[in-house]
């Protein structure tokens, strides 16, 4: 069974890496081969082949079912009147609310819509906390678009997440006064009951802990909603390796289920202190198993049924069922069965780090503990030693996976977890759960005690996370390096008596000693990130790295740096930048500058921003960019062509007019980064440096707006590639049709980040171009 389930995982994983789904003929062939293998093969060969084919078939069938409905391209951006129910826990933010909406009726004639969409609602009506509650039925006027997300190397795949959630369109509610109204205050359903309960618990907690800095952590521990935790707190939790505790984790579910099972067994054995003789009717062991599984299910529902919660509940349910049937099985069978059940319901679960870390942690614990010879030590010393061994197994076992998934591993994690696990699991979580259901006079005191413990713990974790060496960074490993590291991990965690267990560390050497890849001398590479409507490009030479712009601000605490740039740099093992150029102050260019500078060491900042600009507070060294500046790194020439230093003295000029224009060249290959300059600045460049503008690649000025990219400028630059960093269906409608056509008429290859995703360019003997949505195409992209 275990081999077949692992093969099932492999088949489903293979499907998730495909650029297109197999057609009906391909599925039939797989089914016939699986049937033939079932008859013709025996033993492990049959398990592997049939399991992998069934995993592929099941994942493909689920994918085709999920993609069977969607929004037509012709209906994007239209006003659509719909009726339906609030189908999720709403997330409130400054100026609005986000929620999932289950469509019951489409009032706009002749428009087919998917049954579930994600909506944002802005304005005063949406900000009213009494409105937009789970289970309410609303009539709304909306505008929708097909699922779309940024596509970047090592980035979060928003389109895959939408597919997994069953969301086949996103959009926003049109302003008040257009017929938006609540039809029913409550529509009974199991999902509505669960989500309304979660909302009430969240409201109780946030009401009792109003304006408390870690109220979001308490909410996460009770109902699994982590959206109220500040990004700065997540940075500390990630650097100390305790982020797995700031949620409804498997440890918390197991602890609560065990407490419920013990209580049920205690009362049942005593017949609830009556003369009923209940153990003669049903053994107390079975009652305990049922009670533990029931409480685990309730807690998992509160958690929103995330992967760690699914895994834990499935394992507990399997153990409970085995107890009822009298067929106690091995721990590895339980783990594999839990994995198989999760994949049956959610074949996309494997796309997320939580899946691999969750099952990897349990597998490491089982490998390091189950079946070991020797009698365990009794008493508190034995318990402490067992906990230390478990923490050791998890810490060591997850190092290769953590570096693969995040590009860094916390060196202070063992100490931080040794402190945080008992505080969070044995003190804060029970108090948070108790305080969320107690009457108001008691709830405030209990929740405040839980919050005080979190606040004290966070202060200690902040101290642990502060040193630069708290985290070890390395590039995501190649397959052979990962395989070698996993072998070394198994050697390290082998039973006592295994020869030279510490020699397993040698197998980690390639994993930990990797250096980020870099171009050879006299060549350079550029990564134009897909940050939506904004600009951000990473320029790399052999020993230096420069970031040009930092992307837009999406929301408070969310911007191009935190969502795209920093995850990419971590995955590449890049721990510092030699220079940051912030072309000008518009938020679609400087939105991530403050967070990037406070997170990553940057040797020098060049910008057109005034020295007092908030984004520059964390800059170690800053200078205003100006024409005439230049330097050479590793045989690559950097020339600042604009703005004219005198332009800073003209208060009438807009920020766009003072954009930093940078030309980078190596030999006869070059790229021109023109930021948001407009026609007047293009003319100025033609006047000052007419022979110094030529480039193979042009970053389209002002995203291809109608005020830039004049014919004379394009002819002077003479690019073979025009790069447009634009957001999908952006409100400015960049690039303008006439401008986009102008590039095509001049024979310039046009690349748009909303269609290509991130674009990677290598400037060597020839220009090499790759597009993320082509090199890492998946069947759900653009669907």
């Amino acid at each position: 069974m275990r081999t077949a389930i692992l093969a099932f995982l492999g088949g489903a994983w293979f499907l998730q890496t495909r650029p297109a789904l197999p057609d009906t003929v391909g599925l039939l062939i797989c089914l016939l081969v699986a049937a033939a293998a079932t008859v013709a093969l025996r033993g492990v060969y049959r398990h592997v082949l049939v399991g992998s084919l069934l995993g592929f078939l099941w994942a493909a069938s689920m994918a085709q079912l999920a993609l069977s409905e969607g929004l037509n391209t012709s209906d994007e951006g239209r006003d659509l009147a719909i009726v339906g129910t609030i189908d999720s826990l709403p997330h409130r933010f400054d100026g609005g609310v986000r929620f999932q909406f289950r469509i019951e009726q489409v009032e706009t004639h002749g428009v087919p819509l998917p049954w579930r969409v994600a909506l944002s609602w802005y304005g005063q009506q949406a900000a009213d906390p009494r409105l937009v509650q789970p289970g309410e039925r609303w009539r709304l006027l909306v505008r929708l678009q097909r699922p779309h997300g940024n596509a970047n190397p090592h980035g979060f795949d928003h389109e895959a997440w939408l597919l997994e959630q069953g969301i086949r369109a996103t959009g926003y509610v049109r302003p008040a006064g257009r017929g938006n109204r609540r039809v029913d205050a409550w529509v009974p359903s199991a999902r509505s009951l669960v989500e309304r309960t979660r909302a009430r618990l969240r409201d109780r907690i946030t009401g009792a802990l109003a304006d408390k800095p870690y109220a979001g952590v308490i909410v996460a521990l009770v109902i699994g909603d982590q959206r109220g935790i500040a990004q700065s707190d997540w940075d500390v939790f990630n650097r100390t390796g305790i982020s797995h505790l700031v949620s409804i984790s498997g440890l918390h579910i197991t602890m609560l289920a065990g407490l419920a099972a013990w209580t049920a067994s205690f009362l049942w054995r005593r017949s609830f202190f009556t003369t009923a003789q209940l153990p003669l009717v049903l053994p107390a062991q079975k009652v305990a198993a049922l009670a533990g599984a029931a409480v685990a299910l309730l807690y998992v529902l509160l958690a929103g049924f995330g992967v760690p919660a699914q895994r834990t509940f499935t394992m507990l349910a399997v153990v409970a069922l085995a107890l009822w049937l009298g067929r106690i099985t091995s721990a590895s069978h339980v783990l594999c069965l839990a994995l198989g059940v999760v994949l049956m319901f959610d074949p996309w679960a494997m796309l997320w780090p939580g899946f691999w870390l969750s099952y990897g942690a349990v597998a490491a614990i089982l490998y390091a503990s189950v079946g070991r010879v020797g009698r365990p030590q009794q008493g508190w010393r034995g318990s402490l030693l067992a906990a230390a061994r478990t923490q050791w197994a998890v810490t060591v076992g997850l190092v290769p996976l953590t570096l693969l998934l995040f590009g860094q591993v916390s060196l202070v994690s063992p100490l931080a977890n040794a402190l945080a696990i008992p505080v969070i699991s044995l003190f804060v979580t029970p108090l948070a759960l108790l305080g969320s259901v107690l009457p108001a006079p008691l709830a405030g005191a209990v929740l405040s005690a839980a919050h005080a413990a979190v606040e004290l713990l966070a202060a200690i974790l902040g101290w642990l996370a502060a040193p630069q060496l708290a985290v070890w960074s390395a590039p995501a490993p190649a397959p052979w390096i990962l395989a070698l590291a996993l072998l070394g991990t198994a050697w390290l965690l082998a039973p006592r008596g295994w020869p030279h267990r510490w020699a397993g560390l040698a197998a980690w050497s390639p994993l930990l000693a990797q250096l980020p890849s870099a171009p050879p001398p006299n060549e350079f590479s550029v990564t134009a990130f897909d940050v939506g409507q904004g600009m951000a490009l990473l320029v790399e030479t052999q020993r230096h790295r420069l970031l040009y712009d930092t992307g837009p601000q999406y929301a408070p605490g969310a911007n191009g740096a935190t969502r795209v740039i920093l995850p990419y740099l971590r995955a590449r093992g890049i721990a510092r930048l030699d220079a940051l150029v912030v072309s000008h102050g518009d938020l679609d260019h400087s939105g991530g500058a403050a967070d990037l500078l406070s997170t990553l060491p940057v040797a020098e900042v060049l910008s057109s921003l005034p020295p007092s600009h908030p984004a520059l507070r964390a800059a170690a060294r800053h200078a205003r960019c100006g024409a005439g500046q230049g330097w050479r790194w590793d045989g690559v020439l950097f020339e600042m062509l604009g703005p004219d230093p005198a332009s800073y003295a003209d208060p009438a000029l807009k920020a766009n007019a003072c954009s930093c224009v940078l030309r980078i060249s190596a030999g006869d290959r070059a790229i021109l980064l023109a930021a948001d300059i407009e026609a007047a600045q293009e003319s100025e460049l033609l006047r000052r440096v007419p022979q110094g503008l030529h480039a193979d690649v042009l970053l389209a000025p002002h995203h291809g707006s109608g005020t830039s990219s004049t014919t004379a400028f394009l002819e002077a630059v003479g690019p073979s590639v025009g790069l447009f960093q634009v957001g999908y269906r952006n409100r400015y409608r960049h690039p303008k049709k006439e401008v986009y056509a102008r590039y095509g008429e001049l024979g310039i290859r046009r690349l748009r980040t909303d269609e290509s995703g991130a674009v990677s360019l290598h400037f060597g003997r020839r220009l090499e171009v790759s597009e993320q949505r082509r090199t890492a195409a998946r069947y759900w992209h653009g669907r």
Side-chain angles (χ1 to χ4, degrees), residues 347-369:
W348 300 280
M350 68 187 69
L351 297 175
W352 315 116
F355 175 88
W356 301 101
L357 294 178
S358 177
Y359 284 101
V362 177
I365 293 172
L366 295 179
Y367 174 75
S369 60

Side-chain angles (χ1 to χ4, degrees), residues 184-453:
D184 293 304
W186 172 248
V187 179
S189 73
R191 185 177 180 89
S192 294
L193 179 61
V194 170
E195 296 301 328
R196 181 67 68 92
T197 302
R198 298 179 74 208
R200 292 286 172 84
L201 291 173
R202 183 178 65 180
D203 291 343
R204 284 177 58 86
I205 296 169
T206 54
L209 300 175
D211 301 322
K212 297 286 188 180
Y214 297 101
V217 174
I218 303 300
V219 170
L221 292 172
V222 175
I223 65 169
D225 181 16
Q226 301 175 324
R227 293 172 293 186
I229 302 176
Q231 182 60 46
S232 57
D233 294 330
W234 277 122
D235 292 340
V236 172
F237 298 153
N238 290 330
R239 285 182 64 84
T240 53
I242 64 102
S243 55
H244 63 100
L245 295 174
V246 191
S247 64
I248 299 181
S249 68
L251 177 62
H252 302 153
I253 296 170
T254 304
M255 179 189 68
L256 195 64
L259 179 62
W262 179 86
T263 303
S265 176
F266 177 82
L267 295 174
W268 195 264
R269 290 179 189 278
R270 291 158 180 78
S271 300
F272 291 90
F273 301 100
T274 67
T275 59
Q277 299 296 313
L278 293 178
L280 298 179
V281 178
L282 187 66
Q285 190 180 32
K286 291 187 175 182
V287 173
L290 181 62
V295 169
L297 176 60
L298 290 176
Y299 199 21
V300 165
L301 290 175
L302 286 178
F305 229 70
V307 170
Q310 292 177 26
R311 181 259 305 163
T312 304
F313 171 71
T314 306
M315 292 177 67
L316 291 173
V318 168
V319 172
L321 183 62
L323 284 171
W324 267 82
L325 299 177
R327 296 175 62 88
I328 298 298
T329 186
S330 69
S332 59
H333 278 90
V334 173
L335 178 64
C336 286
L337 187 57
L339 186 149
V341 171
V342 168
L343 291 178
M344 289 288 289
F345 285 99
D346 183 6
W348 300 280
M350 68 187 69
L351 297 175
W352 315 116
F355 175 88
W356 301 101
L357 294 178
S358 177
Y359 284 101
V362 177
I365 293 172
L366 295 179
Y367 174 75
S369 60
V370 174
R372 298 297 168 94
V373 177
R375 190 190 325 185
Q377 190 174 344
Q378 302 299 316
W380 67 268
R381 289 187 179 86
S383 300
L384 186 62
L385 183 60
R389 285 174 176 168
T390 299
Q391 184 59 46
W392 162 254
V394 172
T395 300
V396 172
L398 293 185
V399 165
L401 277 179
T402 303
L403 280 174
L404 172 69
L405 297 170
F406 302 110
Q408 62 180 26
V409 62
S410 174
L411 300 181
V412 299
S413 174
L415 178 59
N417 275 276
L419 175 65
I421 287 175
V423 172
I424 295 293
S425 300
L426 301 180
F427 184 77
V428 175
T429 299
L431 286 182
L433 290 169
L434 185 62
S436 65
V437 297
L438 283 175
L442 296 175
V446 174
L447 289 172
S448 295
H451 182 274

Side-chain angles (χ1 to χ4, degrees), residues 393-740:
V394 172
T395 300
V396 172
L398 293 185
V399 165
L401 277 179
T402 303
L403 280 174
L404 172 69
L405 297 170
F406 302 110
Q408 62 180 26
V409 62
S410 174
L411 300 181
V412 299
S413 174
L415 178 59
N417 275 276
L419 175 65
I421 287 175
V423 172
I424 295 293
S425 300
L426 301 180
F427 184 77
V428 175
T429 299
L431 286 182
L433 290 169
L434 185 62
S436 65
V437 297
L438 283 175
L442 296 175
V446 174
L447 289 172
S448 295
H451 182 274
V454 173
E455 195 167 19
L456 177 61
L457 177 64
I460 299 173
L461 293 175
W463 177 77
L464 289 174
Q468 191 70 29
L469 290 178
V471 170
W472 183 274
S473 298
W480 73 268
I481 293 178
L482 178 65
L484 182 63
L486 290 174
L487 179 62
T489 301
W491 196 282
L492 275 170
L493 297 178
R496 187 184 305 174
W498 192 269
H500 308 296
R501 285 189 295 173
W502 289 101
L505 286 173
W508 280 12
S509 299
L511 180 76
L512 300 176
Q514 293 181 97
L515 295 176
S517 59
N522 304 310
E523 298 182 9
F524 68 99
S525 62
V526 176
T527 303
F529 296 108
D530 179 9
V531 291
Q533 185 64 21
M535 284 186 185
L537 303 95
L538 179 68
V539 183
E540 300 180 76
T541 66
Q542 185 185 32
R543 295 189 299 272
H544 297 83
R545 292 175 178 85
L546 175 148
L547 182 68
Y548 185 87
D549 281 341
T550 59
Q553 181 179 17
Y554 307 119
N559 51 63
T562 58
R563 294 279 183 86
V564 176
I565 301 170
L566 289 171
Y568 175 84
L569 296 178
R570 280 195 291 266
R572 289 277 314 280
I574 299 173
R576 68 182 299 274
L577 294 174
D578 296 283
L580 167 65
V581 176
V582 182
S583 64
H584 62 295
D586 286 359
L587 276 180
D588 58 333
H589 296 254
S590 64
D595 281 316
L596 185 132
L597 288 169
S598 63
T599 304
L600 200 70
V602 179
E604 182 179 18
V605 178
L606 291 169
S607 79
S608 61
L609 305 176
S612 59
H613 195 282
L616 299 176
R617 289 173 184 165
R621 178 184 173 191
H622 173 251
R624 277 192 158 180
C625 55
Q629 294 171 333
W631 63 95
R632 188 179 294 273
W633 284 342
D634 310 316
V636 178
L637 179 62
F638 292 75
E639 301 172 277
M640 197 69 71
L641 304 183
D644 187 332
S647 63
Y648 290 119
D650 187 351
L653 289 178
K654 298 188 300 182
N656 289 354
C658 295
S659 294
C660 303
V661 179
L662 181 64
R663 183 178 184 269
I664 308 165
S665 60
D668 57 355
R669 299 292 176 192
I671 184 172
L672 182 62
L673 307 179
D676 277 1
I677 63 171
E678 299 182 348
Q681 289 73 51
E682 292 178 358
S683 297
E684 173 66 16
L685 288 172
L686 288 171
R687 183 186 65 80
R688 282 196 294 107
V689 284
Q691 305 303 318
L693 293 176
H694 174 72
D696 301 275
V697 179
L698 171 64
L699 178 63
H702 203 182
H703 315 279
S705 75
T707 60
S708 304
S709 298
T710 61
T711 301
F713 182 74
L714 294 181
E715 289 177 342
V717 177
S720 59
V721 175
L723 182 58
F724 298 84
Q725 284 195 298
V726 292
Y728 180 69
R729 293 184 53 80
N730 64 86
R731 61 184 176 133
Y732 307 103
R733 300 189 178 183
H734 291 162
K736 295 297 185 180
K737 291 182 179 179
E738 63 275 14
V739 173
Y740 194 67

Side-chain angles (χ1 to χ4, degrees), residues 6-18 52 55-56 59 343 347 350-351 355-356 778-780:
L6 292 177
F8 186 93
L9 167 66
W13 173 81
F14 181 72
L15 186 278
Q16 308 304 350
T17 65
R18 297 299 88 202
S52 58
F56 182 85
L343 291 178
M350 68 187 69
L351 297 175
F355 175 88
W356 301 101
R778 296 294 182 265
Y779 65 81
W780 56 81

